Amino acid sequence: MAEYYQPEIETASREEMIRIQNEKIVKQVKHVYENVPYYRNLMDEKGVKPEDIKGIDDIKKLPFLTKNDLREAYPYGLLGTDLKDCVRIQSTSGTTGKRVVAFYTQHEIGLWGACCARAKVAVGGSNEDVCQVCYGYGLFTGGAGLHGGSHKVGCLTLPMSSGNTERQIQFMMDLNSTILCCTPSYAAYIGETLAERGYKPEDNKLKAGIFGAEPWTEEMRRSIEKSLGIKAYDIYGLTEISGPGVSFECEAQTGMHINEDHFYAEIINPETGEVLPEGEKGELVFTSLDKEGFPLLRYRTRDICVLSREKCSCGRTLVKMAKPMGRSDDMMIIRGVNVFPSQIETVLLNEGYSPNYQILVDRVNNTDTLDINVELNPDQFSDKVSEIQGREKALEAAMRTMLGIGPKVHLVAPKSIARSEGKAVRIIDNRKLHD
């Protein structure tokens, strides 16, 4: 509905936005210091008190939070309110068995939905639309976030979740879906499947797609737009800060507007932590300005990107972030799921295998594939094909439990994976994603 385009915020002057942020950061730092002992200790170590933060410019005095802090504080160490006030958790996949769990109050669920609603309105969504949400539901934030935003805008919402492409296509065609929300690779696959069934792009009623949760190129955007006959828009978010809707693309398709009345963004030098001027490439850091249940201050995302305040043709003055150009750590994003080599190593060691392995990532028919070659110890080697296949299946099941997606495991002969003099080459990513 119209109220989810909020011109008083989205086209606010720089002075007005700074006023909003100044007010919120002072209140938020006080709230965190008083309610989150873990962060209070970090502030005390740095010699910073809430009264030292008089406005958004003072944010650089505060300590950073990292993924390691979130794991160390798991599960309740960064909770900013009474547990009885929380109504939901969402979670990331765990890197070493410990997951990141984010808590949401009812108020925060509303804020998150409103941020996703802004994204919907920015692509032309209204209560006249039928929105098909094919992101995963459950602990993953994709489905829940876009579902909430769709409801707030008043769209007829199809909570499809991911997979079952036959059913996706049936509902899309029968119910005349107009907005598609999923990972870009799945959108490409739907486009391909429709063509195989003999459908032309003009046979569907789709007009826009909101795609995120994995990196994608401009080439892939144009390909999806052509195959589905739509405009394809990017959306960004992370579980730790709320989920999708932290930033979103408008009709200009030249970067994602950050909802900076709720999230304050900085770009830092990943090595030194120094805040970089606008337009410089560095690591993206986010502060939640009005979250209560899980209020993270200066959270290092590890995403490398650029911020820009260049005037946008849509009229919004919200700062824009470029598509992330990569990560400052070794995380892979496969089919929208975060996968770390350390997760794979944990499973192998737990299951009694050697840590000699290689991860092969590729893209086949616009869908990410994950193959893991695992070297057998000499005493595990067997000539029996059935025995090896049984072990591969058992490892695949253990990997699926840890990663949230199913890889293909190949057990290979001892000493068959090349050794390296320096850092082991664990990952071979053939998806050829360009900046």
Side-chain angles (χ1 to χ4, degrees):
M1 288 178 194
E3 64 261 33
Y4 285 103
Y5 172 58
Q6 298 170 295
E8 71 284 4
I9 299 288
E10 295 180 62
T11 65
S13 67
R14 187 83 192 100
E15 294 70 33
E16 175 58 12
M17 185 55 71
I18 289 169
R19 187 195 66 73
I20 292 168
Q21 292 174 335
N22 284 345
E23 203 175 284
K24 288 190 174 187
I25 193 66
V26 169
K27 198 173 157 190
Q28 185 70 314
V29 171
K30 187 172 185 291
H31 169 72
V32 170
Y33 192 83
E34 288 172 359
N35 294 284
V36 184
Y38 187 96
Y39 198 78
R40 179 165 65 239
N41 292 339
L42 292 180
M43 282 179 67
D44 288 346
E45 277 170 31
K46 215 175 171 199
V48 190
K49 294 284 182 243
E51 49 271 24
D52 297 330
I53 309 302
K54 296 178 172 61
I56 206 73
D57 280 352
D58 292 326
I59 202 167
K60 50 183 164 298
K61 297 176 183 174
L62 294 170
F64 292 112
L65 276 172
T66 65
K67 195 84 158 228
N68 282 341
D69 289 310
L70 271 58
R71 289 192 200 106
E72 211 172 286
Y74 172 91
Y76 296 122
L78 286 162
L79 191 62
T81 189
D82 286 347
L83 199 56
K84 66 181 171 57
D85 295 326
C86 296
V87 298
R88 167 106 58 91
I89 69 150
Q90 302 284 165
S91 175
T92 60
S93 54
T95 304
T96 52
K98 273 192 181 180
R99 293 172 177 271
V100 169
V101 174
F103 297 86
Y104 298 73
T105 62
Q106 194 60 54
H107 173 64
E108 283 163 330
I109 296 283
L111 284 181
W112 183 19
C115 287
C116 288
R118 283 184 189 173
K120 285 269 163 65
V121 171
V123 307
S126 74
N127 58 3
E128 304 280 325
D129 283 293
V130 178
C131 181
Q132 186 159 338
V133 183
C134 325
Y135 285 110
Y137 279 64
L139 289 170
F140 178 56
T141 54
L146 273 303
H147 181 101
S150 184
H151 274 206
K152 281 203 181 282
V153 174
C155 302
L156 175 64
T157 307
L158 312 186
M160 303 296 294
S161 197
S162 51
N164 199 334
T165 307
E166 289 296 325
R167 188 175 62 191
Q168 301 277 8
I169 287 172
Q170 184 196 336
F171 274 66
M172 180 186 292
M173 303 309 282
D174 292 352
L175 291 165
N176 295 324
S177 301
T178 55
I179 299 175
L180 179 66
C181 303
C182 60
T183 61
S185 55
Y186 193 54
Y189 181 65
I190 289 173
E192 219 167 72
T193 310
L194 282 167
E196 282 166 10
R197 302 281 185 284
Y199 290 109
K200 295 185 178 70
E202 58 270 24
D203 293 338
N204 71 66
K205 295 288 189 291
L206 291 172
K207 64 180 186 183
I210 298 177
F211 307 133
E214 66 188 19
W216 53 309
T217 60
E218 282 302 313
E219 289 77 15
M220 192 166 183
R221 186 206 299 266
R222 301 303 163 216
S223 166
I224 292 168
E225 290 185 332
K226 194 176 171 188
S227 71
L228 290 173
I230 61 171
K231 287 260 277 180
Y233 299 92
D234 214 343
I235 193 167
Y236 174 90
L238 55 170
T239 303
E240 301 91 319
I241 298 297
S242 78
V246 171
S247 66
F248 60 89
E249 263 189 334
C250 63
E251 68 229 26
Q253 295 177 302
T254 54
M256 291 169 276
H257 289 287
I258 295 170
N259 281 311
E260 54 180 331
D261 54 326
H262 300 302
F263 311 104
Y264 182 73
E266 303 169 87
I267 296 287
I268 64 165
N269 178 323
E271 305 298 322
T272 65
E274 170 209 358
V275 179
L276 299 174
E278 184 201 317
E280 288 206 25
K281 184 167 79 171
E283 183 183 343
L284 185 59
V285 172
F286 273 117
T287 292
S288 303
L289 292 174
D290 41 21
K291 285 196 74 173
E292 309 156 327
F294 201 63
L296 299 190
L297 303 180
R298 300 198 89 197
Y299 179 67
R300 295 184 60 162
T301 67
R302 298 290 176 189
D303 283 323
I304 301 296
C305 79
V306 174
L307 297 181
S308 166
R309 291 201 172 277
E310 276 181 30
K311 199 171 178 202
C312 185
S313 59
C314 76
R316 288 176 181 83
T317 52
L318 299 170
V319 67
K320 272 186 181 175
M321 59 176 277
K323 266 183 189 291
M325 298 158 191
R327 305 210 24 116
S328 59
D329 59 13
D330 59 358
M331 189 185 84
M332 301 169 285
I333 300 178
I334 299 167
R335 299 200 290 276
V337 176
N338 298 350
V339 175
F340 292 79
S342 53
Q343 288 174 298
I344 289 164
E345 196 160 299
T346 299
V347 173
L348 293 180
L349 295 172
N350 286 346
E351 299 291 323
Y353 290 89
S354 84
N356 293 314
Y357 63 95
Q358 202 152 51
I359 301 162
L360 305 163
V361 187
D362 212 332
R363 186 163 281 151
V364 178
N365 295 331
N366 284 309
T367 300
D368 292 341
T369 60
L370 175 62
D371 288 75
I372 305 167
N373 292 337
V374 180
E375 206 171 84
L376 289 162
N377 293 319
D379 59 341
Q380 293 170 321
F381 194 64
S382 168
D383 286 340
K384 283 190 179 172
V385 173
S386 59
E387 193 181 316
I388 294 289
Q389 284 175 339
R391 285 183 177 175
E392 285 173 344
K393 290 276 171 279
L395 253 185
E396 282 169 3
M399 292 284 184
R400 180 184 281 279
T401 301
M402 172 63 96
L403 305 175
I405 57 170
K408 190 89 183 117
V409 171
H410 312 272
L411 292 173
V412 298
K415 306 280 182 206
S416 61
I417 292 176
R419 303 295 191 264
S420 169
E421 290 294 312
K423 198 174 175 185
V425 182
R426 294 282 189 221
I427 305 164
I428 297 168
D429 193 337
N430 294 319
R431 289 177 295 184
K432 296 187 173 58
L433 283 163
H434 311 293
D435 286 352

